[in-house]
Amino acid sequence: MEHVSASFNTKPVDLPVIAVTGGKGGTGKTSVAVNLAVAMRGTGHRVLFVDADVDSPTAAIVFGIPQELAERVEIFVPRILDTKCNRCGKCAEACRPHALIQIAGKQPMFFEELCSGCEACKLVCPLQAIGEGKKVIGYVHRGTRGDLSFIGGELKPNEARSAQVVTAAKDAAFAQARTTSYDVMIVDTSPGTHCNVVQALRGADLALAVTEPTPLGAYDLTLILRLMSMLGIPSKVVVNKADLPGAQSQPISEIAHSYGSEIIMQIPVDKSLFESYVAGEPLVATHPDAPAAQSIMKLANAVMHLPLMK
């Protein structure tokens, strides 16, 4: 497989960027990301946490961080100028998502929910009959808790173009990191291997792929590690719920090895981890002696001793 262009991995900030990701939902990815950030903060590291899972932005709830609106994410939408439009239909021909439909002799019909904001219609219109409208598709929030800073993206309900919100959240994080001193940026991506994940991985030095020791976990781990290979991002594997009854650890290890990765930590099933998630409190802060908390603190220690943190 070919790698993406070098510009994708160009570092916009001079600090380590660690993405916590995974091929499937339900593995505990966000819990691992949040508790890793709190554990690293507990050792004196200044952490900037980015919630790039804009379709399900729950990290701030797990942190217990109050948020404030930082910006609205807007995209272009066309506004047909009736006095200029000659009903030629070129705008509709250029519209790949079919947000504009042309019926002969009539003004183009616009379906806002299908619009991607690409501006192709505006570019091809020979009479400049496409005005520039704006539509809010999401939000970027900020918050702090002690030495831990938080930036999160949130897709507006019923909107489908979430990649732009991820990009806005990452850009806001990079901008803040250029004006404020941090030791590490931790990015919680959405699960899967789609466009949102790719945008969330932009600029990452390391990806921690969170999985579980099940056949489905192994299958999705293959997908996420393949994506890391294509993007040229080094990866380590975190096995959550490692001691599930019937756990199949060997396939996970073999898949990691086949992609030049390794298992960096195994986190046991721990009821207190689920309870802390529901309560909106990081486990490593409230129950540091819990088995899962101990494993996550060991994970933080292992990450802090990686060359990228030097």
Side-chain angles (χ1 to χ4, degrees), residues 86-100:
N86 67 355
R87 284 68 165 162
C88 69
K90 289 185 178 180
C91 58
E93 292 174 7
C95 184
R96 299 300 298 272
H98 304 296
L100 285 166

Side-chain angles (χ1 to χ4, degrees), residues 15-30:
L15 82 162
V17 178
I18 300 171
V20 182
T21 189
K24 67 183 288 291
T27 61
K29 171 185 59 62
T30 296

